[in-house]
Amino acid sequence: MSNRELPLTDVTSPACEVTPMARQPVTAQTAADLAAVFKALSDPVRLRLLSVVAGHTGQQACVCDVSEGFDVSQPTISHHLKVLREAGLLSSERRGSWVYYRVEPAALHQLSRFLDVMLPEALAR
């Protein structure tokens, strides 16, 4: 008999209790979507860029306004803004020769809802 064919035995241990689920876990698609957002936010420059855009009136800013204060080149800033846009955290609009970036509230709301559900329980432990 191979290892795959061994019958499972019912082993109970006082340290391992089966507890009922309090809520359904996220779906595979939601997990993939959220992972892309977390991956985009995992870079300190991108996190700061999102914060800078969100800090402007109307949560939108010209690329020329968000570039100040970073020790990276303009092409690197543009790359990071593209990553945030592809993750759905920002949208962009060309106005003349400038590109304006706007925070996408729906993406932040989804992220906030996920963290609101997950963090209170984790922090209570």
Side-chain angles (χ1 to χ4, degrees), residues 46-109:
R46 289 194 289 265
L47 191 55
R48 286 184 56 212
L49 282 169
L50 181 65
S51 176
V52 168
V53 174
H56 277 80
T57 303
Q59 293 189 323
Q60 65 177 346
C62 176
V63 69
C64 60
D65 294 330
V66 300
S67 300
E68 295 177 21
F70 289 91
D71 292 332
V72 294
S73 67
Q74 177 58 46
T76 301
I77 294 288
S78 294
H79 167 74
H80 286 303
L81 289 167
K82 176 184 174 188
V83 171
L84 291 168
R85 195 180 72 242
E86 288 175 347
L89 293 164
L90 295 177
S91 59
S92 63
E93 176 186 358
R94 180 169 292 282
R95 298 179 195 166
S97 60
W98 295 105
V99 177
Y100 285 77
Y101 288 88
R102 179 181 313 107
V103 171
E104 284 298 320
L108 294 182
H109 182 70

